[in-house]
Amino acid sequence: MASLMLLDTYGLVYRAFFALPPLTTTRGVPINAAYGFTMMLNKIIADEKPTHVIAAFDKGLPAHRVALYQQYKAQRDRMPDDLRPQFALVRQILETNRIPILEIEGEEADDVIATLARQAKEAGERALVVTGDLDLLQLVDDATTVLMTRRGITELARYDVAAVRERFDLDPKQLPDYRGLKGDPSDNLPGIPGVGEKTAIKLIKAAGSLDALVADPSLAGSPKLQKLVEEYGKQALVCRDVSIANDHLDLAVDWPEAQYTPAGNDELYRLYSELEFKTLLGRLNVPAELPLLHAQERLTGNYRSFIAATDPPEYAQLARELEQLASAERLGFAVKSDGEIGISSANGNGLSFLAGSLAHDPVRSAFEKLWLGGQRLAAHDVKAVLHVLHDRGFTVRPFADDTMIGAHLLNPSRNFARIEDAAQEFLALSAGEDVAAQADAVMRLTENERAELEARDQLRLYEDVEVPLAPVLAQLEWTGVAIDPAELTRLSKEIDAAIARLQREIYELAGDEFNIGSPQQLGNILFEKLCLPQGKKTKTGWATGVEILAGLARDYPICARVLEYREVTKLKNTYVDVIPALTDPRDGRLRTIFNQTSTATGRLSSTNPNLQNIPVRGELGRRIRRAFVAPGEDSVLLAADYNQIELRLMAHLSGDEAMRRAFHEGQDIHDFTARQIFAVPADGSVDPNQRRMAKSVNFGLLYGMSDFGLAQRLEIGRAEAREITTAYFARFPSVRAYIDGIIEQGRELGYVTTILGRRRYMPALKSSNYMLRSAAEREATNAPLQGSAADLMKLAMVRVDAKRAEQGLKARMLLQIHDELIFEVPRAELSDVAAIVRTQMKDVVQLSVPLDVTVKVGRNWYDVEETADV
């Protein structure tokens, strides 16, 4: 039988704080509550030997109890300032001890514990509740025992059903009635005036229950008590109802995660060293001479934490502090995924609280005053801040700075999703786990990053493109795109049929059945049984990657079928079966996450799902787009696509006159290139194969493709590929000069840049390793083109959104996929939106060649087409 230990964490931490004298680390950090809690935790786990441990936390003021009784907990004293920051340390202690934390927005730990105890009982297990709150004795039954703190931090009293009866002369289930009668000053519950413990017990035993007593006050046994029950009976019922623990919260526990496994000595050593728990360090099985570990120096300042706030007086104090921040000139924000918000108004200070606090006045009204002020705002990950506040009903505000984006621009090799990474790299300090300190780090990082961005001529890119884009992406994420599940169901059936067909064909060609998805089994079939050429052995078996199979596919049908099989199974597993599961059932919309700092080139990426990789080749792949639809008959999708933007950027950056002329004259650039390299006369026509080869050359050069790579792509000899490349550069000499120049610039400066100043650092250009150097040269060729295209697209998104908002249009931007923007547009706004999108995208930056934008409209993304209406 499992034994589940449930920790009433706040109560235990409070007990530890008041049981021990003030203690601080050498850095001045208060630790008495954290130390006492750790001592208590170690003892009860050693004594009780639970199989599972879960720590429950209060998280905000419980709305259902406040609704029952407005003054619930209203009289409580404010939390001591030295206790506030220690709750973050307690969370760190629990994490190190591998004890999961369970908390629910707007619920108390009592209800979390009651629900878990019930679930344990129904599963035939035992529960042990550790608390300092007598109110939880109502949970005691044949499967649930309570350990109650008494004196100090290690003396505990054990309550089973018999112990509860001995203490109160009542059954555990009668204790809420008892509390309703006598009240509870700690929760501001008045009960019935003049009724104490003994009288309450007497009344319940006489009447059987509080309900029976209120229904028939004569059961009180005396005229005086009868009159009190008549006058205050309903009040007692309210106090009783507030006291009943809700054991049916909507929560699910990962029981394997809650299984207790002791932390290792090395983990505890790091924890105790950081918190300077010297007595506990001495009890570890480590060499006595091992010195204390010194953590990286941390930010220090005046940090006030309201993360643990659950009482009205705490909210009143938080509101006063927020009102003071409203007059600041600058504010820095940091948020955590669990809803913690940090705000700083100057270096060295910070305030933290739970987003759930914003549901309660006076906190909400104070924050609204702050949010609607004219301060200059900064954040680490503006998008994350906006999401937290949008979920609480706050409108979008522009931010001046985003330290995550600033850090990424300065070092594009890292995404800096964690503020800790930015603080360590640019401040040489640790921001720690306190979100108030992290907000302070935002203020300090803003100054450092701005100075460095200006020195690198990247401030315009930062201020005009990247920071304003974050709110636009936030709106895309919470808008989402409508999905037609019926289309995906139809496509899924077709793909299942295609997979079955391909499987049969592969088995017939192989003369055997095997696991097509197994590289080892596939390799054995292809290169041992069928003896196909060009097989390559690796440490794990035969190589069966696309580079091997693609070279064999033309001559060996089984390889072509395997490649097709892989493609359709990937479609099924990545999109067709996944998109319905990720679609919000409440509104039928799919929401992806756009990542602004995940690529060194500046392109956006998307996750959960990755829509950037939706296939464009193959009919089945393209069909996925048919599931992306406009909702209702009164709206359509509008798709705006940059045409050959990277080739136009090559013409602009290289200054090649022939290429520029082709774009100015509106020629088909691939037809034009084919005429140049194959010497097609003016009155002659380019055949499809020549155009295909010219297209491969055009795009291959953008990625620094070698003669060998071109030969592979076109399936021709290397000598012929070299002739084509030579002819190309003879016709477009400035392109060759540009590529050589950009590589040399990268080698000399250590980086290459886009037209808006984005840098891609290229240390490998000086590598003595030929393979590394060649790869870097290809990246250096492509980075200014791909990065510039990304910059222009981002700037266009910012301007389109600003213009749309300025004109009060209801159209919404939904997706950005490479060089394409997707909008959901009311039919009545179609011509206006199309004009805005086309103009802002074409005129985003003045190049030496025109930017060309194709605008298409349709009921779904697959069927969009150009129309005269736009």
Side-chain angles (χ1 to χ4, degrees), residues 330 376-382 398-406 442 446-447 449-450 453 459 462-463 467:
R330 299 168 57 222
R376 183 183 178 91
L377 302 185
H380 191 84
D381 193 353
V382 164
F399 277 67
D401 291 283
D402 188 325
T403 54
M404 180 183 75
I405 291 171
V442 168
T446 296
E447 298 170 7
E449 290 176 3
R450 275 189 159 272
L453 288 166
L459 206 52
Y462 175 73
E463 291 183 331
V467 175

Side-chain angles (χ1 to χ4, degrees), residues 283-344:
R283 298 176 184 175
L284 294 179
N285 183 23
V286 295
E289 67 277 7
L290 205 61
L292 287 178
L293 295 174
H294 292 288
Q296 182 175 3
E297 185 179 354
R298 286 195 176 185
L299 283 171
T300 57
N302 176 26
Y303 304 135
R304 288 98 59 216
S305 172
F306 288 86
I307 297 298
T310 58
D311 304 330
E314 289 286 292
Y315 288 141
Q317 179 62 26
L318 171 58
R320 286 192 288 271
E321 299 216 18
L322 289 172
E323 287 174 354
Q324 292 173 6
L325 291 176
S327 60
E329 294 182 0
R330 299 168 57 222
L331 290 176
F333 283 79
V335 297
K336 288 186 174 182
S337 58
D338 60 0
E340 294 182 20
I341 299 176
I343 308 179
S344 173

Side-chain angles (χ1 to χ4, degrees), residues 577-593:
D577 288 351
V578 170
I579 287 176
L582 294 177
T583 299
D584 191 331
R586 294 170 298 180
D587 59 9
R589 300 182 80 91
L590 175 71
R591 292 171 173 87
T592 186
I593 298 170

Side-chain angles (χ1 to χ4, degrees), residues 397-473:
R397 260 202 68 181
F399 277 67
D401 291 283
D402 188 325
T403 54
M404 180 183 75
I405 291 171
H408 176 69
L409 287 177
L410 295 172
N411 181 359
S413 66
R414 304 180 69 184
N415 65 19
F416 294 102
R418 296 171 61 247
I419 193 170
E420 177 71 1
D421 296 334
Q424 290 191 12
E425 179 153 340
F426 297 103
L427 299 176
L429 293 169
S430 170
E433 294 300 317
D434 186 345
V435 74
Q438 293 176 358
D440 179 18
V442 168
M443 299 294 280
R444 302 181 193 223
L445 282 166
T446 296
E447 298 170 7
N448 290 21
E449 290 176 3
R450 275 189 159 272
E452 188 61 28
L453 288 166
E454 187 168 19
R456 299 188 191 187
D457 294 325
Q458 292 184 295
L459 206 52
R460 182 195 170 199
L461 173 65
Y462 175 73
E463 291 183 331
D464 294 351
V465 180
E466 292 291 356
V467 175
L469 180 65
V472 177
L473 295 178

Side-chain angles (χ1 to χ4, degrees), residues 179-202:
R179 193 169 185 244
L181 282 167
K182 80 174 188 63
D184 187 343
S186 67
D187 285 345
N188 203 36
L189 300 178
I192 293 181
V195 173
E197 290 187 15
K198 291 182 180 179
T199 305
I201 293 171
K202 175 183 173 183

